[in-house]
Amino acid sequence: AHPILTAFALIMFEDIRVNKELDTGLVSRAVNFVEGQQNGDGSWDTTQHTKNQVIPWDSLRTTCIVANGLAANGEGDAGRLGSAVSYIDTEMNELEADTYTLAMCANALLEAAPGEAVTDVTVTELLNRAQTEGDKVFWDSDFPGVSNAGGEVIQVETTALATQAMFKMDVPPAMAGDALKFLASKKSPDGNFRSTQGTIQAL
């Protein structure tokens, strides 16, 4: 059992809940599993790799995706989520974090701690890092994603994560539409968005 893949599954379960009946027992077991893996400081970590992964998931990124999964599903323990938010707040330096990680943190905080000061600061810093290209908006990252992506690939992945965060806001900023234009412009003739991870996140 893998905490990161389980967290992704919890996000997917919530996405399909609107038109599919879910096995609530399965969801509960998944929630119980990831909650049981939480460290005393509120973080999650793992030494396991996911498919196509090159860069190991550090504790901050792992905590962000697990907290995102628990909060999106709505079945996580509030105390555990609060501890995760505190860990993210302590470990993340909004001004120094690479943009890929910052976007992951923004997604987690918008799900787990909407309206809190750390969330507002993180989202503001993320939006401030937006770059323009004509009528399009995109995000780049100096540090690669977990598949060691660079160039246009990391731009697509990071922009997709930032766009997901914007659509978690009560009122998505106007630049969300321009970010979608950027993502659409990167679609290849064969239907992908520069990479497997980029395609999943962009869709």
Side-chain angles (χ1 to χ4, degrees):
H2 197 303
I4 294 170
L5 297 180
T6 305
F8 277 124
L10 287 172
I11 294 171
M12 294 174 186
F13 289 156
E14 186 59 27
D15 285 342
I16 66 173
R17 190 188 294 271
V18 294
N19 57 18
K20 293 286 185 182
E21 184 177 350
L22 293 178
D23 180 343
T24 56
L26 173 65
V27 176
S28 294
R29 290 195 300 276
V31 169
N32 289 339
F33 165 70
V34 290
E35 287 188 338
Q37 301 294 309
Q38 189 176 24
N39 298 317
D41 62 359
S43 69
W44 280 269
D45 54 47
T46 181
T47 58
Q48 296 174 289
H49 273 49
T50 54
K51 186 178 180 182
N52 297 329
Q53 180 182 343
V54 176
I55 306 262
W57 286 75
D58 61 23
S59 294
L60 180 56
R61 286 182 173 185
T62 302
T63 301
C64 285
I65 192 60
V66 176
N68 192 353
L70 288 172
N73 191 265
E75 296 193 18
D77 178 79
R80 290 182 178 277
L81 278 175
S83 295
V85 170
S86 295
Y87 177 84
I88 294 170
D89 189 12
T90 300
E91 292 298 313
M92 178 186 57
N93 184 320
E94 293 88 353
L95 298 178
E96 295 183 3
D98 66 274
T99 308
Y100 184 95
T101 299
L102 188 69
M104 291 188 69
C105 291
N107 275 283
L109 292 169
L110 283 163
E111 288 284 4
E116 293 193 14
V118 61
T119 306
D120 294 340
V121 170
T122 302
V123 169
T124 298
E125 175 61 21
L126 180 64
L127 297 182
N128 285 342
R129 294 190 189 184
Q131 302 181 47
T132 59
E133 182 182 84
D135 63 346
K136 305 177 185 68
V137 168
F138 70 97
W139 281 259
D140 203 349
S141 186
D142 294 332
F143 193 78
V146 294
S147 59
N148 205 26
E152 282 193 339
V153 178
I154 193 62
Q155 289 179 2
V156 169
E157 290 184 22
T158 307
T159 301
L161 288 169
T163 305
Q164 290 171 35
M166 287 190 287
F167 280 104
K168 289 179 180 177
M169 300 177 196
D170 291 335
V171 180
M175 70 173 68
D178 296 334
L180 291 176
K181 289 179 186 177
F182 175 83
L183 292 173
S185 74
K186 298 304 177 182
K187 184 177 179 181
S188 301
D190 61 359
N192 72 56
F193 293 79
R194 296 295 188 265
S195 69
T196 299
Q197 188 65 219
T199 301
I200 292 168
Q201 299 295 352
L203 290 175

PDB file of all heavy atoms in Angstrom, residues 159-189:
ATOM      1  N   THR A 159       1.898  24.616 -14.544  1.00  0.00           N
ATOM      2  CA  THR A 159       0.738  25.430 -14.908  1.00  0.00           C
ATOM      3  C   THR A 159      -0.560  24.689 -14.617  1.00  0.00           C
ATOM      4  O   THR A 159      -1.533  25.282 -14.130  1.00  0.00           O
ATOM      5  CB  THR A 159       0.799  25.830 -16.395  1.00  0.00           C
ATOM      6  OG1 THR A 159       2.001  26.564 -16.631  1.00  0.00           O
ATOM      7  CG2 THR A 159      -0.397  26.683 -16.788  1.00  0.00           C
ATOM      8  N   ALA A 160      -0.581  23.394 -14.879  1.00  0.00           N
ATOM      9  CA  ALA A 160      -1.777  22.604 -14.600  1.00  0.00           C
ATOM     10  C   ALA A 160      -2.076  22.585 -13.105  1.00  0.00           C
ATOM     11  O   ALA A 160      -3.236  22.754 -12.689  1.00  0.00           O
ATOM     12  CB  ALA A 160      -1.602  21.184 -15.124  1.00  0.00           C
ATOM     13  N   LEU A 161      -1.050  22.407 -12.277  1.00  0.00           N
ATOM     14  CA  LEU A 161      -1.249  22.420 -10.825  1.00  0.00           C
ATOM     15  C   LEU A 161      -1.728  23.790 -10.347  1.00  0.00           C
ATOM     16  O   LEU A 161      -2.628  23.890  -9.502  1.00  0.00           O
ATOM     17  CB  LEU A 161       0.046  22.038 -10.114  1.00  0.00           C
ATOM     18  CG  LEU A 161       0.470  20.567 -10.210  1.00  0.00           C
ATOM     19  CD1 LEU A 161       1.891  20.386  -9.688  1.00  0.00           C
ATOM     20  CD2 LEU A 161      -0.494  19.670  -9.443  1.00  0.00           C
ATOM     21  N   ALA A 162      -1.132  24.851 -10.890  1.00  0.00           N
ATOM     22  CA  ALA A 162      -1.548  26.204 -10.503  1.00  0.00           C
ATOM     23  C   ALA A 162      -2.988  26.467 -10.921  1.00  0.00           C
ATOM     24  O   ALA A 162      -3.760  27.100 -10.189  1.00  0.00           O
ATOM     25  CB  ALA A 162      -0.608  27.235 -11.130  1.00  0.00           C
ATOM     26  N   THR A 163      -3.371  25.978 -12.099  1.00  0.00           N
ATOM     27  CA  THR A 163      -4.731  26.179 -12.588  1.00  0.00           C
ATOM     28  C   THR A 163      -5.735  25.422 -11.727  1.00  0.00           C
ATOM     29  O   THR A 163      -6.819  25.931 -11.416  1.00  0.00           O
ATOM     30  CB  THR A 163      -4.840  25.735 -14.059  1.00  0.00           C
ATOM     31  OG1 THR A 163      -3.850  26.435 -14.828  1.00  0.00           O
ATOM     32  CG2 THR A 163      -6.214  26.043 -14.628  1.00  0.00           C
ATOM     33  N   GLN A 164      -5.388  24.212 -11.326  1.00  0.00           N
ATOM     34  CA  GLN A 164      -6.257  23.460 -10.418  1.00  0.00           C
ATOM     35  C   GLN A 164      -6.484  24.253  -9.137  1.00  0.00           C
ATOM     36  O   GLN A 164      -7.609  24.317  -8.623  1.00  0.00           O
ATOM     37  CB  GLN A 164      -5.632  22.110 -10.093  1.00  0.00           C
ATOM     38  CG  GLN A 164      -5.619  21.123 -11.254  1.00  0.00           C
ATOM     39  CD  GLN A 164      -4.801  19.890 -10.949  1.00  0.00           C
ATOM     40  OE1 GLN A 164      -4.762  19.426  -9.813  1.00  0.00           O
ATOM     41  NE2 GLN A 164      -4.121  19.353 -11.940  1.00  0.00           N
ATOM     42  N   ALA A 165      -5.428  24.863  -8.632  1.00  0.00           N
ATOM     43  CA  ALA A 165      -5.548  25.658  -7.410  1.00  0.00           C
ATOM     44  C   ALA A 165      -6.492  26.844  -7.628  1.00  0.00           C
ATOM     45  O   ALA A 165      -7.338  27.141  -6.775  1.00  0.00           O
ATOM     46  CB  ALA A 165      -4.168  26.148  -6.956  1.00  0.00           C
ATOM     47  N   MET A 166      -6.366  27.513  -8.764  1.00  0.00           N
ATOM     48  CA  MET A 166      -7.219  28.674  -9.021  1.00  0.00           C
ATOM     49  C   MET A 166      -8.696  28.297  -9.053  1.00  0.00           C
ATOM     50  O   MET A 166      -9.550  29.047  -8.592  1.00  0.00           O
ATOM     51  CB  MET A 166      -6.807  29.353 -10.330  1.00  0.00           C
ATOM     52  CG  MET A 166      -5.494  30.116 -10.224  1.00  0.00           C
ATOM     53  SD  MET A 166      -5.147  31.156 -11.678  1.00  0.00           S
ATOM     54  CE  MET A 166      -4.703  29.905 -12.896  1.00  0.00           C
ATOM     55  N   PHE A 167      -8.996  27.116  -9.579  1.00  0.00           N
ATOM     56  CA  PHE A 167     -10.397  26.695  -9.655  1.00  0.00           C
ATOM     57  C   PHE A 167     -10.917  26.148  -8.325  1.00  0.00           C
ATOM     58  O   PHE A 167     -12.089  25.802  -8.217  1.00  0.00           O
ATOM     59  CB  PHE A 167     -10.600  25.694 -10.792  1.00  0.00           C
ATOM     60  CG  PHE A 167     -10.704  26.360 -12.138  1.00  0.00           C
ATOM     61  CD1 PHE A 167      -9.648  26.326 -13.025  1.00  0.00           C
ATOM     62  CD2 PHE A 167     -11.845  27.051 -12.489  1.00  0.00           C
ATOM     63  CE1 PHE A 167      -9.734  26.960 -14.255  1.00  0.00           C
ATOM     64  CE2 PHE A 167     -11.950  27.687 -13.717  1.00  0.00           C
ATOM     65  CZ  PHE A 167     -10.881  27.645 -14.600  1.00  0.00           C
ATOM     66  N   LYS A 168     -10.052  26.077  -7.315  1.00  0.00           N
ATOM     67  CA  LYS A 168     -10.504  25.748  -5.964  1.00  0.00           C
ATOM     68  C   LYS A 168     -10.886  27.001  -5.185  1.00  0.00           C
ATOM     69  O   LYS A 168     -11.455  26.905  -4.099  1.00  0.00           O
ATOM     70  CB  LYS A 168      -9.410  24.978  -5.210  1.00  0.00           C
ATOM     71  CG  LYS A 168      -9.202  23.566  -5.731  1.00  0.00           C
ATOM     72  CD  LYS A 168      -8.098  22.843  -4.987  1.00  0.00           C
ATOM     73  CE  LYS A 168      -7.920  21.430  -5.544  1.00  0.00           C
ATOM     74  NZ  LYS A 168      -6.811  20.719  -4.893  1.00  0.00           N
ATOM     75  N   MET A 169     -10.572  28.170  -5.723  1.00  0.00           N
ATOM     76  CA  MET A 169     -10.933  29.415  -5.066  1.00  0.00           C
ATOM     77  C   MET A 169     -12.427  29.682  -5.249  1.00  0.00           C
ATOM     78  O   MET A 169     -13.045  29.220  -6.223  1.00  0.00           O
ATOM     79  CB  MET A 169     -10.117  30.574  -5.654  1.00  0.00           C
ATOM     80  CG  MET A 169      -8.619  30.414  -5.513  1.00  0.00           C
ATOM     81  SD  MET A 169      -7.720  31.777  -6.298  1.00  0.00           S
ATOM     82  CE  MET A 169      -6.063  31.078  -6.383  1.00  0.00           C
ATOM     83  N   ASP A 170     -13.000  30.425  -4.327  1.00  0.00           N
ATOM     84  CA  ASP A 170     -14.416  30.771  -4.442  1.00  0.00           C
ATOM     85  C   ASP A 170     -14.702  31.483  -5.757  1.00  0.00           C
ATOM     86  O   ASP A 170     -15.706  31.215  -6.422  1.00  0.00           O
ATOM     87  CB  ASP A 170     -14.845  31.653  -3.262  1.00  0.00           C
ATOM     88  CG  ASP A 170     -14.850  30.896  -1.946  1.00  0.00           C
ATOM     89  OD1 ASP A 170     -14.994  29.654  -1.983  1.00  0.00           O
ATOM     90  OD2 ASP A 170     -14.698  31.530  -0.885  1.00  0.00           O
ATOM     91  N   VAL A 171     -13.815  32.394  -6.118  1.00  0.00           N
ATOM     92  CA  VAL A 171     -13.917  33.094  -7.408  1.00  0.00           C
ATOM     93  C   VAL A 171     -12.563  32.975  -8.096  1.00  0.00           C
ATOM     94  O   VAL A 171     -11.607  33.672  -7.720  1.00  0.00           O
ATOM     95  CB  VAL A 171     -14.289  34.579  -7.221  1.00  0.00           C
ATOM     96  CG1 VAL A 171     -14.385  35.262  -8.579  1.00  0.00           C
ATOM     97  CG2 VAL A 171     -15.597  34.716  -6.454  1.00  0.00           C
ATOM     98  N   PRO A 172     -12.435  32.092  -9.092  1.00  0.00           N
ATOM     99  CA  PRO A 172     -11.150  31.952  -9.781  1.00  0.00           C
ATOM    100  C   PRO A 172     -10.734  33.276 -10.420  1.00  0.00           C
ATOM    101  O   PRO A 172     -11.572  33.988 -10.985  1.00  0.00           O
ATOM    102  CB  PRO A 172     -11.444  30.895 -10.855  1.00  0.00           C
ATOM    103  CG  PRO A 172     -12.620  30.145 -10.341  1.00  0.00           C
ATOM    104  CD  PRO A 172     -13.440  31.149  -9.602  1.00  0.00           C
ATOM    105  N   PRO A 173      -9.455  33.650 -10.311  1.00  0.00           N
ATOM    106  CA  PRO A 173      -8.996  34.898 -10.922  1.00  0.00           C
ATOM    107  C   PRO A 173      -9.104  34.840 -12.444  1.00  0.00           C
ATOM    108  O   PRO A 173      -9.155  33.761 -13.040  1.00  0.00           O
ATOM    109  CB  PRO A 173      -7.540  34.997 -10.465  1.00  0.00           C
ATOM    110  CG  PRO A 173      -7.145  33.608 -10.123  1.00  0.00           C
ATOM    111  CD  PRO A 173      -8.374  32.933  -9.629  1.00  0.00           C
ATOM    112  N   ALA A 174      -9.118  36.011 -13.062  1.00  0.00           N
ATOM    113  CA  ALA A 174      -9.279  36.088 -14.515  1.00  0.00           C
ATOM    114  C   ALA A 174      -8.177  35.327 -15.247  1.00  0.00           C
ATOM    115  O   ALA A 174      -8.409  34.792 -16.340  1.00  0.00           O
ATOM    116  CB  ALA A 174      -9.292  37.554 -14.946  1.00  0.00           C
ATOM    117  N   MET A 175      -6.973  35.273 -14.642  1.00  0.00           N
ATOM    118  CA  MET A 175      -5.868  34.603 -15.325  1.00  0.00           C
ATOM    119  C   MET A 175      -6.083  33.095 -15.473  1.00  0.00           C
ATOM    120  O   MET A 175      -5.360  32.438 -16.225  1.00  0.00           O
ATOM    121  CB  MET A 175      -4.544  34.879 -14.601  1.00  0.00           C
ATOM    122  CG  MET A 175      -4.391  34.211 -13.266  1.00  0.00           C
ATOM    123  SD  MET A 175      -2.716  34.416 -12.568  1.00  0.00           S
ATOM    124  CE  MET A 175      -2.660  36.159 -12.203  1.00  0.00           C
ATOM    125  N   ALA A 176      -7.075  32.529 -14.790  1.00  0.00           N
ATOM    126  CA  ALA A 176      -7.336  31.098 -14.931  1.00  0.00           C
ATOM    127  C   ALA A 176      -7.676  30.746 -16.379  1.00  0.00           C
ATOM    128  O   ALA A 176      -7.230  29.728 -16.907  1.00  0.00           O
ATOM    129  CB  ALA A 176      -8.470  30.674 -14.002  1.00  0.00           C
ATOM    130  N   GLY A 177      -8.464  31.599 -17.021  1.00  0.00           N
ATOM    131  CA  GLY A 177      -8.805  31.351 -18.417  1.00  0.00           C
ATOM    132  C   GLY A 177      -7.589  31.425 -19.321  1.00  0.00           C
ATOM    133  O   GLY A 177      -7.458  30.639 -20.274  1.00  0.00           O
ATOM    134  N   ASP A 178      -6.686  32.359 -19.041  1.00  0.00           N
ATOM    135  CA  ASP A 178      -5.474  32.490 -19.842  1.00  0.00           C
ATOM    136  C   ASP A 178      -4.529  31.312 -19.609  1.00  0.00           C
ATOM    137  O   ASP A 178      -3.776  30.919 -20.505  1.00  0.00           O
ATOM    138  CB  ASP A 178      -4.768  33.801 -19.504  1.00  0.00           C
ATOM    139  CG  ASP A 178      -5.611  35.022 -19.881  1.00  0.00           C
ATOM    140  OD1 ASP A 178      -6.450  34.901 -20.794  1.00  0.00           O
ATOM    141  OD2 ASP A 178      -5.435  36.074 -19.245  1.00  0.00           O
ATOM    142  N   ALA A 179      -4.567  30.739 -18.403  1.00  0.00           N
ATOM    143  CA  ALA A 179      -3.765  29.544 -18.133  1.00  0.00           C
ATOM    144  C   ALA A 179      -4.312  28.349 -18.918  1.00  0.00           C
ATOM    145  O   ALA A 179      -3.542  27.518 -19.430  1.00  0.00           O
ATOM    146  CB  ALA A 179      -3.775  29.240 -16.638  1.00  0.00           C
ATOM    147  N   LEU A 180      -5.635  28.260 -19.036  1.00  0.00           N
ATOM    148  CA  LEU A 180      -6.234  27.193 -19.840  1.00  0.00           C
ATOM    149  C   LEU A 180      -5.839  27.332 -21.311  1.00  0.00           C
ATOM    150  O   LEU A 180      -5.616  26.329 -22.002  1.00  0.00           O
ATOM    151  CB  LEU A 180      -7.756  27.204 -19.695  1.00  0.00           C
ATOM    152  CG  LEU A 180      -8.301  26.793 -18.329  1.00  0.00           C
ATOM    153  CD1 LEU A 180      -9.817  26.951 -18.301  1.00  0.00           C
ATOM    154  CD2 LEU A 180      -7.914  25.352 -17.989  1.00  0.00           C
ATOM    155  N   LYS A 181      -5.741  28.574 -21.779  1.00  0.00           N
ATOM    156  CA  LYS A 181      -5.293  28.798 -23.161  1.00  0.00           C
ATOM    157  C   LYS A 181      -3.879  28.266 -23.353  1.00  0.00           C
ATOM    158  O   LYS A 181      -3.560  27.656 -24.374  1.00  0.00           O
ATOM    159  CB  LYS A 181      -5.325  30.291 -23.495  1.00  0.00           C
ATOM    160  CG  LYS A 181      -6.706  30.895 -23.632  1.00  0.00           C
ATOM    161  CD  LYS A 181      -6.589  32.391 -23.953  1.00  0.00           C
ATOM    162  CE  LYS A 181      -7.943  33.066 -23.965  1.00  0.00           C
ATOM    163  NZ  LYS A 181      -7.814  34.534 -24.219  1.00  0.00           N
ATOM    164  N   PHE A 182      -3.028  28.520 -22.356  1.00  0.00           N
ATOM    165  CA  PHE A 182      -1.651  28.036 -22.445  1.00  0.00           C
ATOM    166  C   PHE A 182      -1.632  26.514 -22.509  1.00  0.00           C
ATOM    167  O   PHE A 182      -0.947  25.922 -23.355  1.00  0.00           O
ATOM    168  CB  PHE A 182      -0.834  28.518 -21.249  1.00  0.00           C
ATOM    169  CG  PHE A 182       0.563  27.951 -21.204  1.00  0.00           C
ATOM    170  CD1 PHE A 182       1.584  28.530 -21.934  1.00  0.00           C
ATOM    171  CD2 PHE A 182       0.845  26.822 -20.437  1.00  0.00           C
ATOM    172  CE1 PHE A 182       2.867  28.001 -21.906  1.00  0.00           C
ATOM    173  CE2 PHE A 182       2.125  26.289 -20.402  1.00  0.00           C
ATOM    174  CZ  PHE A 182       3.132  26.883 -21.141  1.00  0.00           C
ATOM    175  N   LEU A 183      -2.385  25.857 -21.622  1.00  0.00           N
ATOM    176  CA  LEU A 183      -2.397  24.401 -21.607  1.00  0.00           C
ATOM    177  C   LEU A 183      -2.920  23.852 -22.930  1.00  0.00           C
ATOM    178  O   LEU A 183      -2.359  22.899 -23.488  1.00  0.00           O
ATOM    179  CB  LEU A 183      -3.257  23.893 -20.441  1.00  0.00           C
ATOM    180  CG  LEU A 183      -2.691  24.157 -19.041  1.00  0.00           C
ATOM    181  CD1 LEU A 183      -3.707  23.768 -17.978  1.00  0.00           C
ATOM    182  CD2 LEU A 183      -1.382  23.410 -18.831  1.00  0.00           C
ATOM    183  N   ALA A 184      -3.980  24.445 -23.433  1.00  0.00           N
ATOM    184  CA  ALA A 184      -4.545  23.975 -24.697  1.00  0.00           C
ATOM    185  C   ALA A 184      -3.537  24.112 -25.836  1.00  0.00           C
ATOM    186  O   ALA A 184      -3.482  23.267 -26.740  1.00  0.00           O
ATOM    187  CB  ALA A 184      -5.816  24.749 -25.017  1.00  0.00           C
ATOM    188  N   SER A 185      -2.714  25.155 -25.782  1.00  0.00           N
ATOM    189  CA  SER A 185      -1.739  25.376 -26.852  1.00  0.00           C
ATOM    190  C   SER A 185      -0.621  24.345 -26.840  1.00  0.00           C
ATOM    191  O   SER A 185       0.113  24.207 -27.828  1.00  0.00           O
ATOM    192  CB  SER A 185      -1.133  26.778 -26.721  1.00  0.00           C
ATOM    193  OG  SER A 185      -0.220  26.854 -25.639  1.00  0.00           O
ATOM    194  N   LYS A 186      -0.464  23.619 -25.732  1.00  0.00           N
ATOM    195  CA  LYS A 186       0.611  22.632 -25.607  1.00  0.00           C
ATOM    196  C   LYS A 186       0.141  21.210 -25.945  1.00  0.00           C
ATOM    197  O   LYS A 186       0.924  20.268 -25.843  1.00  0.00           O
ATOM    198  CB  LYS A 186       1.186  22.654 -24.191  1.00  0.00           C
ATOM    199  CG  LYS A 186       1.806  23.998 -23.810  1.00  0.00           C
ATOM    200  CD  LYS A 186       2.886  24.416 -24.798  1.00  0.00           C
ATOM    201  CE  LYS A 186       3.454  25.787 -24.461  1.00  0.00           C
ATOM    202  NZ  LYS A 186       4.487  26.225 -25.446  1.00  0.00           N
ATOM    203  N   LYS A 187      -1.097  21.081 -26.359  1.00  0.00           N
ATOM    204  CA  LYS A 187      -1.600  19.750 -26.712  1.00  0.00           C
ATOM    205  C   LYS A 187      -0.984  19.294 -28.036  1.00  0.00           C
ATOM    206  O   LYS A 187      -1.008  20.010 -29.035  1.00  0.00           O
ATOM    207  CB  LYS A 187      -3.119  19.780 -26.828  1.00  0.00           C
ATOM    208  CG  LYS A 187      -3.739  18.419 -27.097  1.00  0.00           C
ATOM    209  CD  LYS A 187      -5.258  18.515 -27.133  1.00  0.00           C
ATOM    210  CE  LYS A 187      -5.879  17.157 -27.424  1.00  0.00           C
ATOM    211  NZ  LYS A 187      -7.354  17.238 -27.498  1.00  0.00           N
ATOM    212  N   SER A 188      -0.427  18.101 -28.037  1.00  0.00           N
ATOM    213  CA  SER A 188       0.218  17.551 -29.225  1.00  0.00           C
ATOM    214  C   SER A 188      -0.824  16.960 -30.176  1.00  0.00           C
ATOM    215  O   SER A 188      -1.948  16.659 -29.761  1.00  0.00           O
ATOM    216  CB  SER A 188       1.216  16.462 -28.827  1.00  0.00           C
ATOM    217  OG  SER A 188       2.197  16.970 -27.955  1.00  0.00           O
ATOM    218  N   PRO A 189      -0.480  16.764 -31.440  1.00  0.00           N
ATOM    219  CA  PRO A 189      -1.429  16.174 -32.396  1.00  0.00           C
ATOM    220  C   PRO A 189      -1.958  14.803 -31.970  1.00  0.00           C
ATOM    221  O   PRO A 189      -3.075  14.430 -32.325  1.00  0.00           O
ATOM    222  CB  PRO A 189      -0.603  16.068 -33.685  1.00  0.00           C
ATOM    223  CG  PRO A 189       0.423  17.153 -33.567  1.00  0.00           C
ATOM    224  CD  PRO A 189       0.767  17.198 -32.100  1.00  0.00           C
TER     225      PRO A 189
END
